[in-house]
Amino acid sequence: MKLYWYKLPSGARSAYIQDHNGGERLRESLDIVIPAGASAFTVKELTKRAEAAFIVRADQIRAARKGLLRDDAVTLVGYAETLTGNRDVKDHVVRVVPFLKEHFGTVELRAIDYRHCEKFQAFLASGFSLHKEGKPLAPKTQRHYFNALVFILNEAVKDRHLEKNPALNVRRVRVPEKVVIALTPDELQTLWRVPIGGTLGAAVKRGFFVSANSGLRLGDLRTLRWGDIKTGPEGWRLVKAQDKTGNLVTVPLNANVRELLTPFFTLDPTAFVFPEFQTGAGISKYMGPWVKAAGLTKPVTFHTARHTFGTLLAQQTGGNARMVQNLMGHVTAKMTEHYTQAAGQEARAMVDGLPDIKKWGTA
């Protein structure tokens, strides 16, 4: 184990601790940098500081290899909970904590090894679910939760509870390629001509077609307020932070959306566009009978409307991948690959090019 000075492109030198142990190479910054052109006094003082930091860290690493990294007996669950403080309740680091409690209990953080992590992944795949009783976690959710454990252990390494992350070499669960179910213009027209009964039927149908022309998720429709819709000479446009990702999206709203929403327009910017969706009543129960009455055989859910928006943008209007990604509010381009391959028009022309519901006749 030795102190090593790495020369940066700027001419400064950064202090590192280096070692080889059992075939594994360790290289870790000591967070001490001697600036280029520093005075002899500064060089001497920073060198002393680096040497002192090296001795402390070297002792910690040797202690870690003996299982004596730190005196505080922190549990994995206790440490994970310290990382949840300012995070959103939907964050996977927050959501994984109940699963950590169930599986690890009071196991100390410093005792976690490769086998613990491997067994936790198997536990997630075993069909056990704290959120939906009797329903196993989807492979994608399993992967998200295991990645949350990896993140937690990475933070533990930074805080020097662990020498290295024991989860890094665990083979991750394979996530099947996503199959997007979308409707064709003819199928949309067929649904348009079939009414939905029930208390929320009309609102569900209106919301479905707003989603099919804007890409909004059901959660976004629930929180959509009239203040999120901007009007002007160029037409209507939506400016809203997505509920799922927090990403701000700007989507031009076409004539279909204006046709659907204008009868309900109010000048109160705080009013909900879909007040019917504020009751907590189930939306999904309306979809099955409606789709069946329309004679469609596809497994259509409310979210199919969003998939339809993305697919029609890509296939019917020739939209480029970057534009579709922006309109869908996707975090990465990979998500957009489900919808598009080709290129080229502006956002307004793209959404205006979607099938015109006024030509379909009375709903």
Side-chain angles (χ1 to χ4, degrees):
M1 203 172 302
K2 66 179 182 178
L3 175 63
Y4 174 80
W5 289 95
Y6 178 75
K7 189 172 183 179
L8 304 175
S10 64
R13 291 185 297 146
S14 181
Y16 282 80
I17 185 170
Q18 286 196 167
D19 189 34
H20 285 82
N21 180 60
E24 293 186 3
R25 182 188 177 195
L26 168 70
R27 182 182 176 188
E28 179 179 311
S29 173
L30 294 174
D31 297 322
I32 296 174
V33 177
I34 298 178
S39 67
F41 176 79
T42 299
V43 171
K44 183 177 179 180
E45 289 301 308
L46 290 177
T47 299
K48 285 182 179 179
R49 191 183 304 175
E51 289 171 348
F54 167 80
I55 292 171
V56 172
R57 183 60 184 134
D59 287 342
Q60 290 176 338
I61 292 172
R62 293 188 186 101
R65 289 171 181 167
K66 296 177 182 178
L68 302 170
L69 184 61
R70 292 180 64 159
D71 292 333
D72 47 337
V74 178
T75 65
L76 171 63
V77 172
Y79 180 75
E81 288 178 330
T82 67
L83 301 177
T84 63
N86 297 320
R87 294 178 178 272
D88 188 272
V89 293
K90 296 179 182 179
D91 191 301
H92 293 122
V93 173
V94 177
R95 288 187 168 186
V96 78
V97 169
F99 293 86
L100 297 177
K101 287 181 179 178
E102 181 68 23
H103 183 70
F104 289 101
T106 59
V107 175
E108 291 183 7
L109 181 57
R110 61 190 176 187
I112 303 297
D113 59 17
Y114 174 89
R115 294 301 175 194
H116 281 104
C117 300
E118 190 178 47
K119 289 178 181 178
F120 179 65
Q121 181 164 251
F123 167 73
L124 293 175
S126 67
F128 181 89
S129 175
L130 288 171
H131 294 315
K132 298 178 181 177
E133 186 176 354
K135 185 175 181 180
L137 295 175
K140 188 175 181 180
T141 305
Q142 295 172 34
R143 189 177 181 89
H144 283 320
Y145 285 1
F146 188 80
N147 286 342
L149 172 65
V150 173
F151 170 81
I152 291 166
L153 295 177
N154 276 336
E155 294 300 297
V157 171
K158 294 176 185 177
D159 288 337
R160 296 178 177 173
H161 289 284
L162 298 171
E163 180 187 357
K164 62 180 182 179
N165 188 337
L168 292 180
N169 294 325
V170 176
R171 182 175 293 181
R172 310 299 170 82
V173 63
R174 185 173 181 178
V175 179
E177 283 294 320
K178 183 177 181 180
V179 177
V180 170
I181 304 297
L183 299 177
T184 66
D186 286 345
E187 290 169 333
L188 278 176
Q189 184 176 1
T190 298
L191 271 181
W192 175 254
R193 291 174 174 170
V194 177
I196 309 181
T199 306
L200 301 182
V204 170
K205 181 176 180 180
R206 184 168 72 254
F208 184 89
F209 279 94
V210 168
S211 176
N213 284 273
S214 65
L216 288 178
R217 299 178 179 89
L218 177 56
D220 294 319
L221 291 177
R222 287 186 191 278
T223 59
L224 183 63
R225 300 176 188 268
W226 285 106
D228 298 322
I229 298 176
K230 314 301 178 184
T231 59
E234 76 283 358
W236 286 19
R237 61 190 175 91
L238 173 76
V239 181
K240 186 180 188 300
Q242 292 183 319
D243 280 18
K244 181 178 179 179
T245 65
N247 290 342
L248 185 70
V249 293
T250 300
V251 181
L253 299 178
N254 62 19
N256 290 338
V257 176
R258 298 195 296 273
E259 183 83 10
L260 290 163
L261 296 185
T262 295
F264 306 92
F265 182 80
T266 174
L267 293 176
D268 181 2
T270 65
F272 287 111
V273 176
F274 288 90
E276 303 91 340
F277 291 175
Q278 309 309 309
T279 63
I283 302 299
S284 60
K285 67 180 181 181
Y286 288 88
M287 294 301 300
W290 182 36
V291 173
K292 185 177 181 180
L296 301 183
T297 57
K298 287 182 177 177
V300 178
T301 66
F302 196 97
H303 200 69
T304 302
R306 174 172 165 83
H307 289 325
T308 299
F309 175 73
T311 301
L312 290 181
L313 284 183
Q315 298 178 356
Q316 301 293 99
T317 65
N320 65 50
R322 184 64 179 174
M323 189 68 72
V324 175
Q325 180 182 347
N326 290 339
L327 290 172
M328 297 288 287
H330 285 156
V331 177
T332 66
K334 183 170 178 60
M335 299 173 71
T336 309
E337 290 174 6
H338 297 301
Y339 303 106
T340 182
Q341 295 179 359
Q345 301 173 19
E346 294 300 320
R348 170 63 64 182
M350 289 169 68
V351 295
D352 284 345
L354 295 174
D356 186 353
I357 60 175
K358 288 186 291 185
K359 296 180 180 179
W360 292 348
T362 305

